[in-house]
Amino acid sequence: MNHRFKLDHSLLIILIIFALILRVGMALKFPNIFWADEIFQSLEPAHRLAFGNGIVTWEFRDGIRSWVLPGILAGIMRLTAWMGKGSTGYLIGINIFLSLLSLSNILIAYLWGKKIGGTITAFICAAICTIWFELIYFSPKAFTEVVATHFLLPGVYLGVEKQISPTRNSLFLSGCLLGISLAFRIHFIPAIVFAVVYICRKDWREKWLPIMLGIIAPILIFGTIDAFTWSYPFQSFWLNIWVNIVEGRSKLYGVSPWYEYLIFLLKSWSWLSLPIIILALIGSRHSPILVWLVLIIILSHSLLAHKEYRFIYPVLPMVMILAGIGTGELVLNLSRRWVSHKKTLIAILLCLLLWTSISIALLSRFNIYSPLKFSTFGTNLENTHLFATTNNLLALQSLSTENTVCGLGLWGIHWALSGGYTYFHRDVPIYPVDKAADFEKLKPGFNYIVANISVPSQYQNYTLQKCWQGTCVYKRPGSCRQIIDRDINYVLKKSGN
Protein backbone atom coordinates (compact mmCIF):
# COMPACT_ATOMS: atom_id res chain seq x y z
CA MET A 1 0.00 0.00 0.00
CA ASN A 2 2.79 2.42 0.90
CA HIS A 3 4.67 1.61 -2.29
CA ARG A 4 1.57 2.20 -4.39
CA PHE A 5 0.82 5.40 -2.48
CA LYS A 6 4.29 6.77 -3.15
CA LEU A 7 4.16 5.72 -6.80
CA ASP A 8 0.83 7.42 -7.38
CA HIS A 9 1.98 10.65 -5.82
CA SER A 10 5.34 10.57 -7.58
CA LEU A 11 3.67 10.21 -10.98
CA LEU A 12 1.31 13.08 -10.24
CA ILE A 13 4.09 15.35 -8.98
CA ILE A 14 6.20 14.64 -12.08
CA LEU A 15 3.30 15.47 -14.38
CA ILE A 16 2.46 18.67 -12.51
CA ILE A 17 6.06 19.91 -12.59
CA PHE A 18 6.36 19.04 -16.29
CA ALA A 19 3.02 20.75 -17.03
CA LEU A 20 4.13 23.93 -15.26
CA ILE A 21 7.43 24.01 -17.16
CA LEU A 22 5.63 23.50 -20.46
CA ARG A 23 3.11 26.24 -19.85
CA VAL A 24 5.46 28.88 -18.51
CA GLY A 25 8.16 28.00 -21.04
CA MET A 26 5.82 28.23 -24.03
CA ALA A 27 4.32 31.50 -22.81
CA LEU A 28 7.74 33.12 -22.41
CA LYS A 29 9.19 31.65 -25.60
CA PHE A 30 6.19 32.62 -27.74
CA PRO A 31 4.56 35.83 -26.46
CA ASN A 32 1.40 36.36 -28.47
CA ILE A 33 -2.15 37.68 -28.45
CA PHE A 34 -5.00 35.31 -29.23
CA TRP A 35 -7.64 37.99 -28.69
CA ALA A 36 -7.15 41.56 -27.44
CA ASP A 37 -9.30 40.95 -24.34
CA GLU A 38 -6.49 38.97 -22.71
CA ILE A 39 -4.60 42.28 -22.49
CA PHE A 40 -7.18 45.04 -22.30
CA GLN A 41 -9.83 43.37 -20.12
CA SER A 42 -7.45 42.03 -17.50
CA LEU A 43 -3.71 42.79 -17.74
CA GLU A 44 -4.02 46.42 -18.86
CA PRO A 45 -6.40 47.50 -16.08
CA ALA A 46 -4.20 45.50 -13.69
CA HIS A 47 -1.20 47.54 -14.87
CA ARG A 48 -3.20 50.72 -14.28
CA LEU A 49 -3.95 49.60 -10.71
CA ALA A 50 -0.38 48.52 -10.04
CA PHE A 51 1.60 51.29 -11.72
CA GLY A 52 -0.88 54.11 -12.47
CA ASN A 53 -1.05 54.08 -16.26
CA GLY A 54 -2.83 51.99 -18.86
CA ILE A 55 -5.10 52.06 -21.88
CA VAL A 56 -8.76 52.34 -20.84
CA THR A 57 -11.31 50.64 -23.09
CA TRP A 58 -15.07 51.24 -23.19
CA GLU A 59 -15.78 48.24 -20.94
CA PHE A 60 -13.94 49.88 -18.06
CA ARG A 61 -15.37 53.31 -18.82
CA ASP A 62 -18.94 51.96 -18.82
CA GLY A 63 -18.41 49.59 -15.87
CA ILE A 64 -19.34 46.23 -17.40
CA ARG A 65 -16.25 44.37 -16.19
CA SER A 66 -15.36 43.25 -12.69
CA TRP A 67 -12.21 44.56 -11.04
CA VAL A 68 -11.60 41.27 -9.22
CA LEU A 69 -9.31 39.61 -11.78
CA PRO A 70 -7.42 42.84 -12.62
CA GLY A 71 -7.05 43.46 -8.89
CA ILE A 72 -5.53 40.03 -8.32
CA LEU A 73 -3.23 40.41 -11.32
CA ALA A 74 -2.20 43.88 -10.15
CA GLY A 75 -1.03 42.35 -6.90
CA ILE A 76 0.95 39.71 -8.81
CA MET A 77 2.53 42.46 -10.93
CA ARG A 78 3.67 44.41 -7.91
CA LEU A 79 4.99 41.31 -6.15
CA THR A 80 6.95 39.99 -9.15
CA ALA A 81 8.23 43.17 -10.81
CA TRP A 82 11.65 42.47 -9.26
CA MET A 83 12.03 39.33 -11.42
CA GLY A 84 13.23 41.31 -14.44
CA LYS A 85 13.80 44.76 -15.86
CA GLY A 86 10.98 46.79 -17.36
CA SER A 87 7.87 44.75 -18.04
CA THR A 88 9.80 41.47 -18.16
CA GLY A 89 9.62 40.72 -14.44
CA TYR A 90 5.90 40.95 -13.87
CA LEU A 91 5.12 39.27 -17.21
CA ILE A 92 7.07 36.26 -15.96
CA GLY A 93 5.19 36.47 -12.67
CA ILE A 94 1.79 36.63 -14.38
CA ASN A 95 2.62 33.63 -16.57
CA ILE A 96 3.73 31.59 -13.57
CA PHE A 97 0.64 32.55 -11.55
CA LEU A 98 -1.87 31.73 -14.31
CA SER A 99 -0.02 28.51 -15.16
CA LEU A 100 -0.16 27.45 -11.52
CA LEU A 101 -3.94 27.98 -11.54
CA SER A 102 -4.23 25.82 -14.64
CA LEU A 103 -2.65 22.85 -12.86
CA SER A 104 -6.05 22.14 -11.31
CA ASN A 105 -6.94 20.58 -14.67
CA ILE A 106 -4.06 18.12 -14.32
CA LEU A 107 -5.02 17.25 -10.75
CA ILE A 108 -8.70 16.73 -11.57
CA ALA A 109 -7.83 14.67 -14.67
CA TYR A 110 -5.68 12.43 -12.48
CA LEU A 111 -8.31 12.07 -9.75
CA TRP A 112 -11.11 11.47 -12.25
CA GLY A 113 -9.09 8.83 -14.05
CA LYS A 114 -8.07 7.26 -10.73
CA LYS A 115 -11.68 6.95 -9.66
CA ILE A 116 -12.69 5.18 -12.85
CA GLY A 117 -9.73 3.07 -13.95
CA GLY A 118 -7.06 3.17 -11.27
CA THR A 119 -3.48 4.38 -11.58
CA ILE A 120 -3.08 3.55 -15.27
CA THR A 121 -6.14 5.53 -16.36
CA ALA A 122 -5.26 8.34 -13.94
CA PHE A 123 -1.77 8.68 -15.41
CA ILE A 124 -3.07 8.63 -19.00
CA CYS A 125 -5.76 11.25 -18.31
CA ALA A 126 -3.35 13.58 -16.53
CA ALA A 127 -0.62 13.07 -19.14
CA ILE A 128 -2.98 13.94 -22.00
CA CYS A 129 -4.07 17.14 -20.23
CA THR A 130 -0.40 17.89 -19.56
CA ILE A 131 0.76 17.73 -23.16
CA TRP A 132 -2.35 18.79 -25.09
CA PHE A 133 -1.39 21.87 -27.13
CA GLU A 134 -4.53 23.96 -26.54
CA LEU A 135 -4.32 23.57 -22.77
CA ILE A 136 -0.65 24.56 -22.87
CA TYR A 137 -1.44 27.54 -25.09
CA PHE A 138 -4.43 28.96 -23.21
CA SER A 139 -3.43 28.20 -19.61
CA PRO A 140 -1.15 31.26 -19.11
CA LYS A 141 -3.65 33.64 -20.77
CA ALA A 142 -5.60 36.12 -18.66
CA PHE A 143 -9.04 35.29 -20.07
CA THR A 144 -11.88 35.16 -17.57
CA GLU A 145 -13.27 31.98 -19.17
CA VAL A 146 -9.90 30.27 -18.80
CA VAL A 147 -9.50 31.27 -15.16
CA ALA A 148 -13.14 30.28 -14.50
CA THR A 149 -12.50 26.80 -15.93
CA HIS A 150 -9.74 26.18 -13.41
CA PHE A 151 -12.37 26.48 -10.66
CA LEU A 152 -15.24 24.86 -12.56
CA LEU A 153 -13.69 21.41 -12.97
CA PRO A 154 -12.63 21.00 -9.30
CA GLY A 155 -16.08 22.19 -8.23
CA VAL A 156 -17.83 19.62 -10.39
CA TYR A 157 -15.48 16.84 -9.31
CA LEU A 158 -15.96 17.53 -5.60
CA GLY A 159 -19.70 17.47 -6.09
CA VAL A 160 -19.93 14.15 -7.93
CA GLU A 161 -17.11 12.23 -6.26
CA LYS A 162 -18.77 9.32 -4.43
CA GLN A 163 -15.71 8.25 -2.48
CA ILE A 164 -15.62 11.57 -0.68
CA SER A 165 -18.13 11.64 2.14
CA PRO A 166 -20.93 14.02 1.11
CA THR A 167 -20.41 16.24 4.14
CA ARG A 168 -21.60 19.80 4.32
CA ASN A 169 -17.99 20.98 4.16
CA SER A 170 -17.19 19.18 0.90
CA LEU A 171 -20.47 20.32 -0.67
CA PHE A 172 -19.87 23.89 0.50
CA LEU A 173 -16.36 23.81 -1.02
CA SER A 174 -17.81 22.45 -4.27
CA GLY A 175 -20.31 25.30 -4.27
CA CYS A 176 -17.58 27.88 -3.58
CA LEU A 177 -15.55 26.69 -6.55
CA LEU A 178 -18.62 26.69 -8.80
CA GLY A 179 -19.53 30.14 -7.51
CA ILE A 180 -16.07 31.53 -8.25
CA SER A 181 -16.28 30.09 -11.75
CA LEU A 182 -19.71 31.66 -12.26
CA ALA A 183 -18.56 35.02 -10.90
CA PHE A 184 -15.64 35.11 -13.33
CA ARG A 185 -17.78 33.98 -16.27
CA ILE A 186 -21.53 34.56 -15.87
CA HIS A 187 -22.10 32.84 -19.25
CA PHE A 188 -21.39 29.49 -17.54
CA ILE A 189 -24.67 29.68 -15.63
CA PRO A 190 -26.49 27.00 -17.72
CA ALA A 191 -23.64 24.53 -17.16
CA ILE A 192 -23.37 25.32 -13.45
CA VAL A 193 -27.14 25.06 -12.93
CA PHE A 194 -27.06 21.64 -14.57
CA ALA A 195 -24.09 20.57 -12.45
CA VAL A 196 -25.89 21.55 -9.24
CA VAL A 197 -29.06 19.69 -10.29
CA TYR A 198 -26.97 16.65 -11.24
CA ILE A 199 -25.13 16.67 -7.91
CA CYS A 200 -28.25 17.17 -5.79
CA ARG A 201 -30.78 15.22 -7.89
CA LYS A 202 -31.60 12.46 -5.37
CA ASP A 203 -30.61 14.18 -2.14
CA TRP A 204 -31.82 17.68 -2.90
CA ARG A 205 -32.94 18.48 0.64
CA GLU A 206 -29.65 17.37 2.18
CA LYS A 207 -27.32 18.83 -0.41
CA TRP A 208 -28.88 21.98 -1.81
CA LEU A 209 -28.30 24.23 1.23
CA PRO A 210 -24.48 23.80 1.62
CA ILE A 211 -23.81 23.85 -2.11
CA MET A 212 -26.01 26.91 -2.70
CA LEU A 213 -24.44 28.72 0.25
CA GLY A 214 -21.06 27.93 -1.29
CA ILE A 215 -22.12 29.38 -4.64
CA ILE A 216 -23.66 32.49 -3.11
CA ALA A 217 -20.59 33.36 -0.98
CA PRO A 218 -18.17 34.30 -3.83
CA ILE A 219 -21.01 35.87 -5.84
CA LEU A 220 -21.70 38.20 -2.90
CA ILE A 221 -17.99 39.07 -2.67
CA PHE A 222 -17.84 39.94 -6.36
CA GLY A 223 -21.06 41.94 -6.07
CA THR A 224 -19.73 43.86 -3.07
CA ILE A 225 -16.52 44.70 -4.91
CA ASP A 226 -18.68 46.04 -7.77
CA ALA A 227 -20.46 48.28 -5.27
CA PHE A 228 -17.14 49.82 -4.19
CA THR A 229 -15.50 49.99 -7.62
CA TRP A 230 -18.55 50.89 -9.74
CA SER A 231 -21.91 52.54 -8.99
CA TYR A 232 -24.02 49.54 -8.00
CA PRO A 233 -23.64 46.05 -6.50
CA PHE A 234 -23.36 43.32 -9.15
CA GLN A 235 -23.04 45.99 -11.86
CA SER A 236 -20.51 44.02 -13.92
CA PHE A 237 -22.96 41.07 -14.01
CA TRP A 238 -26.22 42.65 -15.13
CA LEU A 239 -24.77 45.53 -17.16
CA ASN A 240 -22.53 43.16 -19.14
CA ILE A 241 -25.55 41.05 -20.08
CA TRP A 242 -27.65 44.12 -20.89
CA VAL A 243 -25.05 45.88 -23.05
CA ASN A 244 -23.76 42.83 -24.95
CA ILE A 245 -26.91 40.70 -25.29
CA VAL A 246 -29.89 43.07 -25.02
CA GLU A 247 -28.31 46.07 -26.73
CA GLY A 248 -26.22 43.82 -29.00
CA ARG A 249 -22.87 45.59 -28.54
CA SER A 250 -20.99 42.29 -28.91
CA LYS A 251 -22.35 41.93 -32.46
CA LEU A 252 -20.08 44.80 -33.50
CA TYR A 253 -17.14 42.42 -33.05
CA GLY A 254 -18.53 39.73 -35.34
CA VAL A 255 -21.61 37.56 -35.85
CA SER A 256 -21.29 33.84 -36.58
CA PRO A 257 -23.73 31.03 -37.47
CA TRP A 258 -24.94 28.65 -34.76
CA TYR A 259 -22.55 25.89 -35.86
CA GLU A 260 -19.41 28.06 -35.66
CA TYR A 261 -17.99 26.25 -32.62
CA LEU A 262 -18.09 22.94 -34.47
CA ILE A 263 -16.13 24.60 -37.28
CA PHE A 264 -13.64 25.95 -34.74
CA LEU A 265 -13.08 22.46 -33.34
CA LEU A 266 -12.64 21.02 -36.82
CA LYS A 267 -10.15 23.75 -37.68
CA SER A 268 -8.20 23.04 -34.52
CA TRP A 269 -8.32 19.22 -34.52
CA SER A 270 -8.68 18.57 -38.28
CA TRP A 271 -9.61 14.97 -39.20
CA LEU A 272 -8.24 13.84 -35.85
CA SER A 273 -11.51 15.11 -34.37
CA LEU A 274 -13.00 11.72 -35.25
CA PRO A 275 -10.72 9.47 -33.14
CA ILE A 276 -10.73 12.04 -30.30
CA ILE A 277 -14.54 12.05 -30.23
CA ILE A 278 -14.68 8.24 -30.41
CA LEU A 279 -12.34 7.91 -27.43
CA ALA A 280 -14.32 10.58 -25.56
CA LEU A 281 -17.56 8.68 -26.23
CA ILE A 282 -15.96 5.52 -24.82
CA GLY A 283 -15.00 7.47 -21.72
CA SER A 284 -18.45 9.09 -21.47
CA ARG A 285 -19.97 5.82 -20.27
CA HIS A 286 -18.11 6.28 -17.00
CA SER A 287 -18.51 10.08 -16.64
CA PRO A 288 -21.78 11.19 -18.27
CA ILE A 289 -21.77 14.53 -16.46
CA LEU A 290 -18.73 15.68 -18.45
CA VAL A 291 -20.50 14.89 -21.74
CA TRP A 292 -23.57 16.82 -20.65
CA LEU A 293 -21.47 19.78 -19.59
CA VAL A 294 -19.63 19.78 -22.92
CA LEU A 295 -22.92 19.81 -24.83
CA ILE A 296 -24.50 22.47 -22.61
CA ILE A 297 -21.49 24.80 -22.86
CA ILE A 298 -21.34 24.50 -26.65
CA LEU A 299 -25.11 24.80 -27.17
CA SER A 300 -25.60 27.70 -24.74
CA HIS A 301 -22.78 29.66 -26.35
CA SER A 302 -24.04 28.77 -29.83
CA LEU A 303 -27.22 30.75 -29.08
CA LEU A 304 -25.15 33.95 -28.78
CA ALA A 305 -24.46 35.84 -32.00
CA HIS A 306 -20.83 36.69 -31.21
CA LYS A 307 -18.65 33.59 -30.93
CA GLU A 308 -15.01 33.12 -30.02
CA TYR A 309 -13.15 29.86 -29.55
CA ARG A 310 -11.97 30.86 -26.05
CA PHE A 311 -15.59 31.07 -24.86
CA ILE A 312 -15.86 27.28 -24.88
CA TYR A 313 -12.46 26.68 -23.31
CA PRO A 314 -13.94 24.45 -20.54
CA VAL A 315 -14.87 21.95 -23.26
CA LEU A 316 -11.19 21.28 -24.02
CA PRO A 317 -10.04 19.77 -20.68
CA MET A 318 -13.38 17.96 -20.33
CA VAL A 319 -13.02 16.28 -23.72
CA MET A 320 -9.38 15.43 -22.97
CA ILE A 321 -10.35 13.81 -19.66
CA LEU A 322 -13.05 11.77 -21.41
CA ALA A 323 -10.63 10.78 -24.18
CA GLY A 324 -8.07 9.82 -21.52
CA ILE A 325 -10.63 7.61 -19.80
CA GLY A 326 -11.42 6.00 -23.16
CA THR A 327 -7.72 5.48 -23.88
CA GLY A 328 -7.20 4.03 -20.41
CA GLU A 329 -10.05 1.58 -20.92
CA LEU A 330 -8.48 0.30 -24.14
CA VAL A 331 -5.10 -0.14 -22.44
CA LEU A 332 -6.68 -1.93 -19.47
CA ASN A 333 -8.56 -4.31 -21.77
CA LEU A 334 -5.30 -5.17 -23.53
CA SER A 335 -3.42 -5.58 -20.24
CA ARG A 336 -5.96 -8.14 -19.03
CA ARG A 337 -5.20 -10.25 -22.09
CA TRP A 338 -1.45 -9.86 -21.92
CA VAL A 339 -1.02 -10.26 -18.12
CA SER A 340 2.58 -9.09 -18.63
CA HIS A 341 3.44 -5.82 -16.84
CA LYS A 342 6.14 -5.13 -19.42
CA LYS A 343 3.64 -5.23 -22.31
CA THR A 344 1.24 -3.02 -20.37
CA LEU A 345 3.99 -0.46 -19.78
CA ILE A 346 4.89 -0.52 -23.48
CA ALA A 347 1.22 0.01 -24.38
CA ILE A 348 0.98 3.01 -22.02
CA LEU A 349 4.14 4.57 -23.42
CA LEU A 350 2.96 4.05 -27.01
CA CYS A 351 -0.37 5.70 -26.19
CA LEU A 352 1.35 8.70 -24.66
CA LEU A 353 3.77 8.91 -27.59
CA LEU A 354 0.83 8.89 -29.98
CA TRP A 355 -1.04 11.59 -28.05
CA THR A 356 2.13 13.71 -27.85
CA SER A 357 2.71 13.36 -31.60
CA ILE A 358 -0.87 14.37 -32.31
CA SER A 359 -0.56 17.39 -30.04
CA ILE A 360 2.67 18.55 -31.71
CA ALA A 361 1.24 17.97 -35.17
CA LEU A 362 -1.91 19.97 -34.47
CA LEU A 363 0.08 22.73 -32.79
CA SER A 364 2.07 23.16 -36.00
CA ARG A 365 -1.17 24.16 -37.82
CA PHE A 366 -3.05 25.83 -34.94
CA ASN A 367 -4.87 28.79 -36.44
CA ILE A 368 -8.64 28.77 -36.14
CA TYR A 369 -8.94 31.96 -38.22
CA SER A 370 -7.52 30.26 -41.29
CA PRO A 371 -9.75 28.41 -43.79
CA LEU A 372 -10.89 24.91 -42.81
CA LYS A 373 -8.33 22.34 -44.02
CA PHE A 374 -8.12 18.68 -43.07
CA SER A 375 -4.35 18.47 -42.82
CA THR A 376 -2.24 16.92 -40.07
CA PHE A 377 0.87 19.09 -40.08
CA GLY A 378 1.38 22.79 -40.67
CA THR A 379 3.99 24.04 -43.09
CA ASN A 380 4.78 27.38 -41.41
CA LEU A 381 4.79 27.75 -37.64
CA GLU A 382 4.79 31.56 -37.98
CA ASN A 383 1.24 31.37 -39.36
CA THR A 384 -0.04 29.80 -36.14
CA HIS A 385 -1.37 31.50 -33.02
CA LEU A 386 2.03 31.01 -31.40
CA PHE A 387 3.40 33.96 -33.38
CA ALA A 388 0.29 36.19 -33.48
CA THR A 389 1.48 39.80 -32.88
CA THR A 390 4.72 38.51 -31.32
CA ASN A 391 6.70 41.19 -33.18
CA ASN A 392 4.62 44.02 -31.70
CA LEU A 393 4.91 42.66 -28.17
CA LEU A 394 8.68 42.21 -28.37
CA ALA A 395 9.10 45.72 -29.78
CA LEU A 396 7.12 47.36 -26.96
CA GLN A 397 8.74 45.16 -24.35
CA SER A 398 12.18 46.26 -25.56
CA LEU A 399 11.19 49.89 -24.89
CA SER A 400 10.09 49.12 -21.34
CA THR A 401 13.72 49.49 -20.24
CA GLU A 402 14.49 52.52 -22.43
CA ASN A 403 14.73 55.57 -20.15
CA THR A 404 14.95 58.09 -23.01
CA VAL A 405 11.38 57.46 -24.22
CA CYS A 406 9.21 60.56 -23.76
CA GLY A 407 6.42 59.59 -26.15
CA LEU A 408 5.56 56.64 -28.39
CA GLY A 409 3.93 56.62 -31.81
CA LEU A 410 2.18 53.55 -33.23
CA TRP A 411 2.52 53.62 -37.02
CA GLY A 412 0.62 50.94 -38.93
CA ILE A 413 -0.10 49.02 -35.70
CA HIS A 414 -3.59 48.80 -34.26
CA TRP A 415 -3.61 49.68 -30.56
CA ALA A 416 -5.45 46.42 -29.71
CA LEU A 417 -2.54 44.42 -31.13
CA SER A 418 0.19 46.48 -29.50
CA GLY A 419 0.29 44.97 -26.01
CA GLY A 420 -0.43 48.37 -24.47
CA TYR A 421 1.28 49.61 -21.33
CA THR A 422 1.33 46.01 -20.10
CA TYR A 423 4.34 45.47 -22.37
CA PHE A 424 5.45 49.10 -22.81
CA HIS A 425 5.49 50.00 -19.08
CA ARG A 426 6.69 53.58 -19.60
CA ASP A 427 4.66 56.40 -18.07
CA VAL A 428 4.55 58.44 -21.26
CA PRO A 429 1.78 59.10 -23.83
CA ILE A 430 1.06 56.70 -26.69
CA TYR A 431 -0.13 58.26 -29.96
CA PRO A 432 -1.83 56.18 -32.67
CA VAL A 433 -0.71 57.51 -36.07
CA ASP A 434 -3.25 56.37 -38.66
CA LYS A 435 -2.36 58.57 -41.65
CA ALA A 436 0.81 60.04 -43.07
CA ALA A 437 -0.76 63.47 -42.67
CA ASP A 438 -0.94 62.90 -38.91
CA PHE A 439 2.82 62.61 -38.66
CA GLU A 440 3.41 66.33 -38.93
CA LYS A 441 0.90 67.11 -36.19
CA LEU A 442 1.88 64.32 -33.84
CA LYS A 443 5.66 63.93 -34.26
CA PRO A 444 6.48 66.53 -31.57
CA GLY A 445 4.69 64.22 -29.13
CA PHE A 446 6.87 61.14 -29.57
CA ASN A 447 10.57 60.44 -29.99
CA TYR A 448 10.11 56.70 -30.57
CA ILE A 449 7.96 54.92 -33.17
CA VAL A 450 6.94 51.28 -33.31
CA ALA A 451 5.94 50.55 -36.88
CA ASN A 452 5.24 47.66 -39.22
CA ILE A 453 5.31 49.86 -42.31
CA SER A 454 8.07 52.21 -43.42
CA VAL A 455 8.24 55.64 -41.83
CA PRO A 456 7.56 58.36 -44.45
CA SER A 457 10.79 59.36 -46.16
CA GLN A 458 10.52 63.05 -45.21
CA TYR A 459 11.03 62.15 -41.56
CA GLN A 460 14.62 60.99 -41.88
CA ASN A 461 15.44 62.20 -38.38
CA TYR A 462 13.83 58.96 -37.15
CA THR A 463 16.56 56.34 -37.35
CA LEU A 464 16.03 52.59 -37.30
CA GLN A 465 16.97 50.94 -33.98
CA LYS A 466 15.89 47.29 -34.27
CA CYS A 467 13.39 45.08 -36.08
CA TRP A 468 11.46 41.92 -35.22
CA GLN A 469 10.29 40.30 -38.46
CA GLY A 470 8.79 43.45 -39.96
CA THR A 471 7.99 45.40 -36.80
CA CYS A 472 10.64 48.03 -36.17
CA VAL A 473 11.56 50.62 -33.57
CA TYR A 474 12.63 54.10 -34.74
CA LYS A 475 14.08 56.93 -32.67
CA ARG A 476 14.66 60.63 -33.19
CA PRO A 477 16.86 62.92 -31.08
CA GLY A 478 15.33 65.57 -28.87
CA SER A 479 12.48 65.83 -26.39
CA CYS A 480 8.69 65.58 -26.65
CA ARG A 481 5.83 68.02 -26.32
CA GLN A 482 2.46 66.75 -25.14
CA ILE A 483 -0.21 66.86 -27.85
CA ILE A 484 -3.54 67.64 -26.24
CA ASP A 485 -6.49 65.38 -27.10
CA ARG A 486 -4.53 63.02 -29.35
CA ASP A 487 -3.18 60.38 -26.97
CA ILE A 488 -4.55 56.84 -27.10
CA ASN A 489 -7.03 57.15 -24.22
CA TYR A 490 -8.56 60.34 -25.59
CA VAL A 491 -8.88 58.79 -29.04
CA LEU A 492 -10.54 55.66 -27.64
CA LYS A 493 -12.97 57.68 -25.52
CA LYS A 494 -13.90 59.88 -28.45
CA SER A 495 -14.50 56.89 -30.75
CA GLY A 496 -16.31 54.85 -28.08
CA ASN A 497 -13.79 51.98 -28.20
Side-chain angles (χ1 to χ4, degrees):
M1 287 292 293
N2 290 334
H3 175 72
R4 188 177 301 172
F5 177 84
K6 292 178 181 178
L7 176 62
D8 289 359
H9 283 70
S10 297
L11 290 174
L12 180 58
I13 290 170
I14 290 170
L15 286 175
I16 285 177
I17 293 173
F18 184 56
L20 181 62
I21 293 171
L22 271 179
R23 281 147 179 75
V24 175
M26 289 288 286
L28 297 179
K29 177 67 176 178
F30 302 100
N32 58 76
I33 297 177
F34 183 81
W35 192 267
D37 284 8
E38 67 186 273
I39 301 291
F40 297 100
Q41 304 308 318
S42 53
L43 295 177
E44 194 73 356
H47 188 278
R48 188 152 60 98
L49 279 178
F51 304 107
N53 59 322
I55 296 175
V56 184
T57 59
W58 70 271
E59 291 93 341
F60 278 90
R61 289 196 304 270
D62 294 353
I64 73 163
R65 294 279 188 171
S66 171
W67 277 100
V68 173
L69 182 58
I72 294 171
L73 296 178
I76 300 299
M77 285 182 172
R78 293 291 294 184
L79 289 172
T80 60
W82 59 271
M83 297 175 70
K85 295 181 179 179
S87 61
T88 301
Y90 62 76
L91 287 174
I92 294 173
I94 290 293
N95 285 326
I96 292 174
F97 171 73
L98 294 175
S99 296
L100 283 170
L101 280 183
S102 75
L103 298 179
S104 66
N105 291 338
I106 313 298
L107 176 61
I108 296 305
Y110 190 90
L111 293 175
W112 218 305
K114 178 77 171 178
K115 180 183 86 169
I116 292 168
T119 303
I120 290 177
T121 303
F123 181 69
I124 291 174
C125 287
I128 290 173
C129 287
T130 297
I131 55 89
W132 191 248
F133 71 102
E134 291 164 310
L135 302 185
I136 296 172
Y137 177 81
F138 281 109
S139 288
K141 293 195 171 293
F143 289 125
T144 54
E145 46 276 318
V146 173
V147 174
T149 301
H150 301 151
F151 294 93
L152 175 62
L153 274 173
V156 172
Y157 178 79
L158 276 178
V160 300
E161 171 53 52
K162 303 298 185 197
Q163 294 176 0
I164 296 178
S165 177
T167 62
R168 289 180 177 270
N169 289 338
S170 64
L171 290 170
F172 179 76
L173 179 56
S174 172
C176 284
L177 293 170
L178 294 175
I180 293 171
S181 178
L182 181 61
F184 276 124
R185 182 67 177 167
I186 193 66
H187 302 72
F188 290 169
I189 191 167
I192 291 175
V193 167
F194 171 80
V196 172
V197 172
Y198 188 95
I199 292 167
C200 303
R201 51 187 169 170
K202 292 183 180 179
D203 302 305
W204 185 263
R205 292 184 180 180
E206 296 179 6
K207 293 182 177 181
W208 75 270
L209 183 59
I211 201 168
M212 290 306 298
L213 287 176
I215 290 174
I216 291 170
I219 297 291
L220 286 176
I221 293 172
F222 275 65
T224 303
I225 291 173
D226 273 2
F228 283 99
T229 55
W230 298 121
S231 301
Y232 308 99
F234 304 101
Q235 179 174 318
S236 65
F237 292 84
W238 60 264
L239 191 57
N240 190 311
I241 294 173
W242 179 266
V243 169
N244 282 317
I245 297 178
V246 179
E247 294 183 356
R249 176 70 185 251
S250 62
K251 294 179 181 178
L252 298 176
Y253 305 101
V255 175
S256 305
W258 65 269
Y259 53 83
E260 185 72 5
Y261 287 116
L262 300 178
I263 300 298
F264 281 154
L265 290 171
L266 285 174
K267 286 182 176 181
S268 185
W269 298 349
S270 187
W271 64 271
L272 290 165
S273 302
L274 183 59
I276 292 172
I277 291 173
I278 291 173
L279 288 170
L281 288 175
I282 294 173
S284 68
R285 296 180 300 164
H286 305 284
S287 297
I289 186 174
L290 290 180
V291 180
W292 285 112
L293 288 174
V294 165
L295 293 175
I296 289 169
I297 290 170
I298 292 177
L299 290 175
S300 61
H301 282 81
S302 296
L303 297 176
L304 304 177
H306 179 60
K307 300 175 179 64
E308 297 174 30
Y309 191 45
R310 61 188 173 96
F311 291 168
I312 62 165
Y313 173 78
V315 166
L316 302 178
M318 290 178 186
V319 170
M320 291 304 118
I321 291 173
L322 288 170
I325 293 170
T327 305
E329 183 174 333
L330 295 179
V331 172
L332 288 174
N333 288 336
L334 289 174
S335 66
R336 292 189 188 102
R337 296 180 182 179
W338 289 334
V339 183
S340 169
H341 293 300
K342 185 177 181 181
K343 289 182 179 180
T344 301
L345 179 60
I346 292 173
I348 294 171
L349 293 176
L350 286 176
C351 284
L352 296 182
L353 179 61
L354 182 60
W355 272 103
T356 303
S357 301
I358 291 172
S359 180
I360 294 172
L362 294 181
L363 176 64
S364 71
R365 59 182 299 284
F366 181 44
N367 188 343
I368 62 165
Y369 302 125
S370 64
L372 177 61
K373 294 183 293 184
F374 290 99
S375 59
T376 306
F377 294 94
T379 56
N380 187 356
L381 199 62
E382 292 185 1
N383 289 334
T384 66
H385 290 300
L386 284 179
F387 285 89
T389 70
T390 295
N391 304 337
N392 300 345
L393 301 182
L394 291 176
L396 263 73
Q397 189 174 357
S398 72
L399 293 177
S400 69
T401 57
E402 184 53 68
N403 295 325
T404 61
V405 180
C406 56
L408 176 67
L410 298 179
W411 173 236
I413 294 176
H414 194 279
W415 65 270
L417 303 178
S418 67
Y421 286 96
T422 300
Y423 280 80
F424 182 40
H425 194 49
R426 307 303 303 176
D427 191 12
V428 300
I430 296 177
Y431 298 95
V433 187
D434 298 325
K435 304 174 184 178
D438 292 336
F439 247 102
E440 191 61 34
K441 297 178 182 179
L442 297 178
K443 66 181 179 68
F446 51 82
N447 63 338
Y448 277 82
I449 299 173
V450 175
N452 57 19
I453 54 178
S454 299
V455 173
S457 57
Q458 61 266 38
Y459 302 108
Q460 295 182 359
N461 56 334
Y462 284 96
T463 57
L464 178 64
Q465 302 296 297
K466 189 175 180 180
C467 289
W468 292 264
Q469 295 295 321
T471 298
C472 300
V473 173
Y474 298 84
K475 177 186 177 182
R476 69 162 171 80
S479 60
C480 304
R481 172 172 58 87
Q482 186 175 2
I483 309 298
I484 304 298
D485 298 342
R486 294 303 295 269
D487 65 277
I488 183 65
N489 280 326
Y490 179 86
V491 171
L492 290 182
K493 186 176 181 180
K494 186 177 180 180
S495 64
N497 292 319

